Every structure is written in C-alpha cells, then in structure tokens.
Amino acid sequence: MSVVRTIPGSPPEPLRHVHQPLAHDSATRHVQGGAAYIDDLREPEGMLHIACGLSPVARGTLRGMNLDAVRSHPGVVAVFTAADVPGSNDVSPSVGGDPMFAEERVLFHSQVLFAVAATTRDAARRAARLARLEIEAETPSVTVEQAAERQETVLPDYAFARGDIEATLTASPRRIDGSFRIGGQEHFYLEGQAALAIPKEDGELLVHSSTQHPTEVQHVVAKVLGLPDALVICEVRRMGGGFGGKESQATQWAAIAALAAHKLKRPCKIRLDRDDDFATTGKRHDMRCDYRIGFDEAGRIQAYDVDYLARCGYSADLSQGVVDRAMFHSDSSYWLPVTRINTRRLLTNTVSNTAFRGFGGPQGMLMAERMIDEIAWALGRDPLDVRYANLYRDGEDITPYGQKVSELDTMHALLAMLEKTSDYRRRRDEVTAFNASSRFIKRGLALTPVKFGISFTLKQLNQAGALVHVYQDGSIQLNHGGTEMGQGLYQKVAQVVAEEFGVAIERVRITATTTDKVPNTGPTAASSGTDLNARAALNAAQAIKARMADYAASLWNCPAAAIRFRDDRVFHGNDSLGFGELANKAHLDRVHLSATGFYATPGITWDRARKHGNPFLYFSFGAACAEVEIDTLTGENRVRRVDILHDVGKSLNPAIDIGQIEGGFVQGMGWLTTEELVFDAKGKLLTHAPATYKIPVASDLPADFRVALYPNANRADVVYASKAVGEPPVMLANAVFCALADAVHALKPGARVPLDAPATPEAILRACEAVQGRAMGGER
C-alpha cells in the first residue's frame, strides 16, 4: 500500500484519499445544472449589459465613428470608446500592442471599436450595430506568405541549433525537403467569454471573470482604470472550459465590464455571443513548416532543419512562449544529432493567436512525426520501426536546447508495452492484407509516442500560493491560486489537504479562487496546476498540522513525532481526540490554525538568450495506437480503434486523470481531422459558429477506445509522485493523423503523402488524388 510520512520521525500512514478515483467536486452539480457560471450568478439590482461594436474591415485607418444612433437607441445608458479610458488603453499580457478599443488603426476584422451599456442585452447588441464608421481600408495580410512578403512580425525571429546543418545535410546518404501546413483550432469552450463587474465602496471593484489567470485580470483592469491593484478583486469559482483561451484573452472583456461599472457606478456584465467569441478571440497558432531531413539507409536521422512560419495575428500576445514551446518539442521523442530549429512570428491582420492546450508543443511534435513518416515512406519501412530507430537513448539523450532527457527507461518501456497490448504487429499484417484486397477503402495504422516537458518556460510563473484555515469545529477551508475549468484541480488539491490532516474529504471546503485571499498568482496553465497549487496547499496544511501536533504533544506529554492524524482523529498510542476536539482545544489555548503556503518550482534554469538550460522539471510520456479507414473516392474516414497508454506518475485521482486523457485525445483528434479555420481574402473568419466549424461529436469517437495508465512514479520531487495530465494527451492524437496518412500511402507504397492538417475529407481526397496522379518529388 502507498504510504506517506509527514511528521519527521512518525510512522507512515496508509493513504485514504490520494491515489483514489474520487468524483469531481462539482460532478453532481454539473449533471444537475446546479454549477454556477458567470451568467448564472444572481444579477445585482440595476445591472447593465455590455455589447461591443466591431470593425467590419481587417486593416485600415479609423477616420471617424458617428455613434449618435447608438447612444439614442432605446435602453442605452452609455457608450465607451478609447477616449473614455482613464488609464492605459492596452490589455496586453506581454509586450503591449493589444488596445482594448481601437484608436487610429484597425488591425483585424471584428476588432473592438466601442462598447455599449444598456438595460438589456438585446438593446445593447442592437444598438452596437447602428454605428456609422469611416475606415480607410487597406489590403490585409491574412496568410503567413503575405506577412512574410511584407516582412511584418510581432517578435524577432528566433532559432537554436546544434552542429553544422548544411554540411551534414550535404553528407547525408538520403535527403528529403518539403513543406507541411498545420492548422489552428478554436477553443470552443462551453462557457464563452464572460465577466461581471460590481462597484464597491471607495472605488473598489469586484470582478467575476471566466479566466484562467485572475491576477492578470486584476492587474490589467487596474491598469486600464488607473487604479492600484489592491482596489480590484478578481474572483472565479469555475469556468465552463478554458483550454488556454482564457489565459490572457479573458482580460479584455473583464476590463470593458469594469470600465463601465467604474464610470457608471452600476454593476455591468458582458457575455459574448458565440459568433463574436469566435471572431474576437485568438486560436491555436497555425504554422507552415518548411523542412529538410538528412538520414541514412537504416532510417536514422542525420540532420533536421525546420522553419516554422507562425501566424501570430496582429499582436504578440503569448506568441513568444507558444512558438518557443513548439521549438522545444520539435524533437518529439527523437535524437537529433545535428539540427537547426528556426521560427518566424509573423504579423497577420487576424485576431491574435494565443495559448491553446499544449501551447505550441502539438505543432512541433506533429511536424516531427511527419519527419518520421517521410523517412519510412522513402525507405519502404514500417514507420514504427523508424520511430524505434530514432528514440532518445543512453549517450544520445540531450535535447537541442541542452536538457538531458530523464526517464529513458519509461519512454522505451511504455512504447514497447503499447506495441504489445495493442497487438500492433498482427494488426499491421491485417491492415496490409485488407488494403491489398480493397480497391477504394483503405486502412491505416500508426503508433506514435509522446514526450512533453512540464513547467512554465517563463521562470517567474513557476510559483503558487495557498491559504488554509482550520476552524474550531475541525472543518477546513481551502483556497489557492489555481482555477477550476472542469479539469479537477480543486478536487485533487482538496484530496492532498484532506490526506495531510487525516480527515474525511467532506471536511475540506473548497472556495473560489480570488485575488484578495491569495495574491500574485500565475495562470492555471502549462499542465502545472496541481504540481504548483497542491504543493503550496500541502505546505500550508503541514504548517498548521505541525502546530496542532506540538499542541497535542503538550497535552499528552510526548514528542510531536509520536502524534498521528488519521480517521478524523488525532492519536498518541491508545489515546485519541477527535480532530475537531483538538482544533477547539488548540483555539482556546491560542494556537494559530491558519497558514499560507508557497511553492516555487526548483531547478528551472532556461536562459533564452544563451539558448540553453533546463526549462522543464520533468517529462510526461505516453503513446497511442490508432487504426483508421478512409474512402479514397470521397475522403470520408472513421477511426476504428484507439489504444492509449499514458504516464501520469502515481495518479492523484485515476478517474479524473483518465477523463483528462480521453478528453485531451478527442480534442487533439478534432484539431487534426475536422476543425478547420477558414478566413476569406479580406480577413473575415468564415468558420465562426457550430454550423461551419466542426468539433468532434459522439459519433466521431472510435467504437473501440482503450485507455490505460502506465504504472510509474515521478522521480522528480512532485507531490505524491504524480505527473501532470492536462496537455500531453492532446498529442496522443498524432497517431490518428499518422494513421490517416498511412491509409493514403497504401494507394501507392513508396510515394510521399501530401496530407496537411487538419485531415478533413477534402484534404484526404486531395492527398489521394495527388498520390495516384504523381509522386511529389523533393527527395534527392
């Protein structure tokens, strides 16, 4: 049985809550409709509704706005523009350039120009359409090619390299050059962007925001209003999904609501319509990847040169970190002896792309898997064998950015285990036999690995705080800087705290994340929410527990190390007190039963200027085997079976972790198969609603879907030897994309498959026609 020692010198206690598949803390409320989101909160008396006026052009000069008809519309109370902002008209999370309201320049289609406050949401939305705008339109840059031609970037180009790339490519026995396009993705959270701002006394504001980063909302709202941070409180109990789309981009909507509330001294709420949410918020970065691969006859990579042309949108937003992480994961799980990884962060007149689950890692890893497939096609080998040939191994275990890959044994053993449990070799023979006998329907099979680095690559974000109270009746209140967006963070942290005190989970009261309880928090992102916040909460709980143990020791005249906390009681030998009894006695004897906790991730040493260091505390591993079937006449396809084996260390909550793995995989599968973002030549997003943008539905799931946790324990110093689970499962879906390419390849073994992502039916059909019509060329 797993055990933990928390009081120095005390005997270990069996675990009661940690590693158990307990239900999500809001599970019942979720299914009953009782979980309150921003739009479910009781509306305060006199509350106004906010709607925004949006630009009808993607690039141009704003010459004027006639808002008389907007102001005179029935129900309208006020209209706000950049001129009404008392502080800074910028909601950027990084280097600036994100105006809350456009001023002189319009930089993307549907950019916010003004906001309307009205007595009803309908009145505000109708009024917002009445503006008469004078915009001198210009030809926008919509594609990365257009941006590159204009030489417009949001950040400088950045690269890191190892070895002499040109000489090694020239000397390689085989070489392939190519280009691969990877599409973006809309977050499509169930709860759209929303905020409710309530003015308090002395200029204080309470902002309820659907955000992954309450501290940033607090800071940006204060900056916009010209207030100190201490006058703004941001609170979030839960989000209806975030996926990165509410890490930086929730701030604009909170700031607009706060501006109206501050000016009008009335509560104000904004909730974006789904179409407006699509049009005005950023996506996953789409990229064009231009690559050159040198390899030998055994399929071993000699050199890998790749240029990522990232469509960043009109501003930097989080593009530095996102595109950097694509670079960090350009190796996937493979040793690159000589490499050059270069990036261009291109400015396009589209909405600023932003964080999305995986934060650039999925793009880098998908490109790496395309590299492996290209080598396999050229050599006529099974792609899995080429993957094995290039895996990191002893002596070949340093990433292009200088970090040594830990747990090589886990990487290799996990992949071998899935090969066996998925019956890959037998099924490969079956797929080959089926394709030989079927002219139009083809099947594909792929098994791909995942290696994902865990930690924020921006060092200062790797910290967390928590606040724990033990009341005199023994009940416990828990607060920390992490936010709950359905992923189960609140539940996991509560399990850790309940375990530390040896009490029932029901004693721990989870409270909303709020900046007036735990200040200066980082975003809940980078898959590190539990690593950071659970450790901070554990530190707080241990401080209180130590005081209680010292007090109990004074009652029983024994060493504190002899005190044991379990089963809602506190023991010394055969003597015991109820946990609540001890808390009451301690309170009466003036023992402090409240504590803050803090945790900062150790060992993070990434130096971006020197392009070297250890940006990650550890790696999470996984693998997926996918079998698909395509109709080569129409491009229609289905996923027949998926086997997943994933490493979460010693799972804090197996039920929640398996749910995260399943959900992450399906979201990744949607990104790579059905979810296509289409902009017209004028920069308008055409796929702006469920009618035109297709996320996976129940019928898209594989009929045979097998998910298992790899038996492992984190070797880094992480709470209860667990591992992160939020983002890595997205990249398990690479197996589906590679299997689709494998099915197309069956049409003409040895040919290259020009399949871009997402592999929609149209894209698959184009690839089928290209493979049957002519070889792509490009190998030298």
Side-chain angles (χ1 to χ4, degrees):
M1 178 178 289
S2 298
V3 295
V4 64
R5 187 188 302 271
T6 55
I7 299 291
S10 67
E13 299 292 348
L15 297 182
R16 179 177 174 186
H17 305 299
V18 170
H19 307 320
Q20 302 304 313
L22 304 185
H24 189 288
D25 63 282
S26 296
T28 300
R29 289 188 288 275
H30 284 156
V31 298
Q32 292 180 343
Y37 298 91
I38 300 293
D39 206 38
D40 299 315
L41 299 178
R42 186 180 297 276
E43 296 182 349
E45 181 70 25
M47 190 192 81
L48 299 174
H49 297 263
I50 308 295
C52 294
L54 310 178
S55 171
V57 302
R59 180 172 178 140
T61 300
L62 182 60
R63 297 298 185 190
M65 294 190 295
N66 185 332
L67 303 177
D68 292 345
V70 179
R71 292 188 175 93
S72 62
H73 187 77
V76 170
V77 176
V79 178
F80 301 98
T81 69
D84 298 299
V85 177
S88 171
N89 182 40
D90 195 306
V91 293
S92 170
S94 54
V95 297
D98 286 281
M100 186 168 77
F101 299 122
E103 295 186 70
E104 297 177 357
R105 295 285 294 166
V106 171
L107 299 172
F108 72 96
H109 192 285
S110 297
Q111 184 173 5
V112 177
L113 305 177
F114 61 90
V116 182
T119 53
T120 68
R121 185 167 180 266
D122 182 71
R125 293 187 67 202
R126 290 181 183 277
R129 299 175 183 177
L130 301 178
R132 296 175 60 186
L133 307 173
E134 185 182 348
I135 302 174
E136 187 178 311
E138 302 168 11
T139 302
S141 295
V142 179
T143 66
V144 292
E145 289 80 11
Q146 290 170 324
E149 185 176 347
R150 278 176 159 159
Q151 291 295 306
E152 292 180 337
T153 61
V154 298
L155 291 165
D157 296 354
Y158 183 67
F160 43 70
R162 175 166 59 197
D164 188 331
I165 189 69
E166 296 299 339
T168 309
L169 282 169
T170 300
S172 295
R174 303 286 290 270
R175 176 171 156 184
I176 291 174
D177 299 355
S179 187
F180 177 44
R181 292 182 181 271
I182 301 173
Q185 187 177 19
E186 161 63 31
H187 298 87
F188 216 122
Y189 23 64
L190 288 179
E191 178 199 26
Q193 299 282 359
L196 168 62
I198 303 171
K200 300 291 185 178
E201 64 182 22
D202 296 328
E204 184 178 274
L205 273 171
L206 171 62
V207 181
H208 295 276
S209 174
S210 185
T211 177
Q212 295 172 236
H213 199 346
T215 288
E216 185 166 272
V217 167
Q218 174 196 35
H219 177 68
V220 171
V221 167
K223 182 179 70 172
V224 166
L225 299 182
L227 300 174
D229 287 4
L231 280 181
V232 179
I233 300 168
C234 180
E235 179 175 314
V236 53
R237 172 57 181 89
R238 62 174 62 83
M239 287 165 277
F243 311 120
K246 297 174 181 176
E247 181 176 341
S248 67
Q249 300 213 351
T251 55
Q252 180 174 16
W253 319 111
I256 289 173
L259 172 67
H262 180 69
K263 289 278 190 176
L264 301 173
K265 310 303 180 188
R266 294 172 66 173
C268 293
K269 181 168 73 174
I270 186 169
R271 174 174 62 83
L272 296 190
D273 175 79
R274 181 65 68 177
D275 295 79
D276 291 343
D277 202 312
F278 265 76
T280 59
T281 62
K283 324 297 178 193
R284 187 186 296 281
H285 288 64
D286 52 309
M287 299 182 181
R288 192 186 88 193
C289 312
D290 298 336
Y291 57 91
R292 298 183 293 168
I293 311 163
F295 56 100
D296 62 22
E297 297 296 339
R300 293 270 287 164
I301 299 164
Q302 306 293 302
Y304 177 46
D305 182 32
V306 62
D307 286 279
Y308 294 102
L309 280 68
R311 176 160 59 179
C312 296
Y314 80 98
S315 70
D317 192 76
L318 299 177
S319 288
Q320 175 171 304
V322 170
V323 182
D324 279 6
R325 191 171 277 259
M327 299 171 71
F328 288 132
H329 291 83
S330 293
D331 58 344
S332 185
S333 300
Y334 311 118
W335 164 245
L336 304 175
V338 176
T339 187
R340 185 189 71 100
I341 300 166
N342 184 56
T343 55
R344 302 205 67 201
R345 293 138 211 253
L346 293 160
L347 187 157
T348 54
N349 296 116
T350 53
V351 65
S352 259
N353 284 329
T354 190
F356 199 125
R357 196 176 189 176
F359 206 75
Q363 294 94 313
M365 290 179 62
L366 184 64
M367 179 57 238
E369 300 306 336
R370 166 52 61 92
M371 168 180 63
I372 295 293
D373 284 347
E374 286 269 31
I375 295 170
W377 297 333
L379 297 175
R381 297 187 62 191
D382 187 321
L384 180 58
D385 293 329
V386 178
R387 289 185 166 90
Y388 275 129
N390 288 285
L391 285 180
Y392 280 110
R393 64 197 71 217
D394 288 336
E396 297 177 344
D397 55 1
I398 305 299
T399 64
Y401 48 91
Q403 180 163 356
K404 184 180 178 69
V405 179
S406 58
E407 290 191 62
L408 290 175
D409 55 334
T410 298
M411 176 193 291
H412 285 259
L414 188 152
L415 204 59
M417 181 181 290
L418 184 63
E419 179 191 347
K420 181 179 179 180
T421 58
S422 67
D423 207 3
Y424 178 87
R425 299 296 175 179
R426 179 187 61 79
R427 291 167 62 199
R428 169 58 72 188
D429 291 340
E430 290 179 351
V431 165
T432 300
F434 176 87
N435 288 337
S437 64
S438 175
R439 182 179 178 186
F440 300 120
I441 305 298
K442 299 294 182 182
R443 291 180 181 170
L445 183 69
L447 196 160
T448 59
V450 168
K451 172 187 68 68
F452 192 78
I454 304 299
S455 290
F456 289 98
T457 54
L458 191 61
K459 185 176 180 179
Q460 64 262 32
L461 298 180
N462 292 289
Q463 59 178 304
L467 177 64
V468 176
H469 304 311
V470 174
Y471 292 96
Q472 56 187 302
D473 65 349
S475 60
I476 300 165
Q477 189 179 93
L478 167 64
N479 194 271
H480 54 79
T483 57
E484 177 61 50
M485 61 196 91
Q487 84 279 34
L489 171 64
Y490 277 13
Q491 177 64 30
K492 285 184 173 182
V493 178
Q495 286 176 240
V496 169
V497 170
E499 194 70 64
E500 186 62 26
F501 285 117
V503 299
I505 191 75
E506 291 78 15
R507 280 187 184 263
V508 180
R509 174 63 180 171
I510 299 167
T511 57
T513 305
T514 177
T515 56
D516 64 348
K517 284 190 175 181
V518 177
N520 306 321
T521 61
T524 303
S527 301
S528 59
T530 300
D531 289 356
L532 293 170
N533 293 285
R535 178 56 68 87
L538 179 62
N539 290 344
Q542 287 176 335
I544 299 170
K545 183 179 177 181
R547 295 175 203 149
M548 295 180 73
D550 287 341
Y551 178 70
S554 72
L555 295 179
W556 283 311
N557 194 26
C558 68
I563 303 299
R564 301 168 67 188
F565 290 70
R566 61 177 172 83
D567 300 328
D568 294 270
R569 301 189 69 79
V570 183
F571 291 86
H572 171 246
N574 293 325
D575 297 324
S576 71
L577 284 171
F579 183 82
E581 292 178 78
L582 181 64
N584 185 59
K585 285 179 175 290
H587 167 67
L588 294 175
D589 267 347
R590 299 181 299 174
V591 175
H592 187 39
L593 299 180
S594 177
T596 59
F598 180 77
Y599 174 72
T601 308
I604 304 298
T605 62
W606 174 244
D607 186 329
R608 191 173 189 269
R610 292 179 57 241
K611 306 174 184 180
H612 191 275
N614 294 322
F616 306 119
L617 180 62
Y618 62 88
F619 295 97
S620 286
F621 299 96
C625 179
E627 183 177 336
V628 303
E629 188 172 83
I630 67 170
D631 184 333
T632 61
L633 299 180
T634 65
E636 293 175 290
N637 60 89
R638 65 188 179 103
V639 182
R640 290 170 47 82
R641 173 177 164 182
V642 169
D643 297 71
I644 290 172
L645 184 61
H646 199 73
D647 165 34
V648 295
K650 282 192 171 183
S651 173
L652 288 175
N653 187 316
I656 285 175
D657 285 349
I658 287 175
Q660 283 291 290
I661 293 166
E662 292 173 341
F665 169 82
V666 172
Q667 189 170 54
M669 185 177 73
W671 166 52
L672 295 175
T673 58
T674 63
E675 299 183 42
E676 185 174 25
L677 293 166
V678 179
F679 292 86
D680 69 14
K682 295 182 179 180
K684 181 179 180 180
L685 179 65
L686 301 180
T687 50
H688 54 78
T692 50
Y693 185 84
K694 300 296 186 181
I695 63 172
V697 296
S699 59
D700 294 313
L701 298 181
D704 192 347
F705 194 11
R706 311 179 189 194
V707 178
L709 301 180
Y710 180 74
N712 197 22
N714 197 340
R715 297 167 207 177
D717 182 18
V718 176
V719 63
Y720 287 101
S722 62
K723 282 191 177 185
V725 71
E727 293 171 299
V730 171
M731 285 142 282
L732 295 167
N734 289 347
V736 172
F737 183 83
C738 292
L740 290 167
D742 185 62
V744 176
H745 183 254
L747 285 168
K748 189 175 182 180
R752 298 175 69 189
V753 179
L755 181 63
D756 292 329
T760 61
E762 295 87 349
I764 291 172
L765 182 58
R766 287 194 297 269
C768 289
E769 291 174 342
V771 165
Q772 294 177 101
R774 56 180 176 82
M776 282 179 67
E779 184 181 356
R780 299 177 182 176

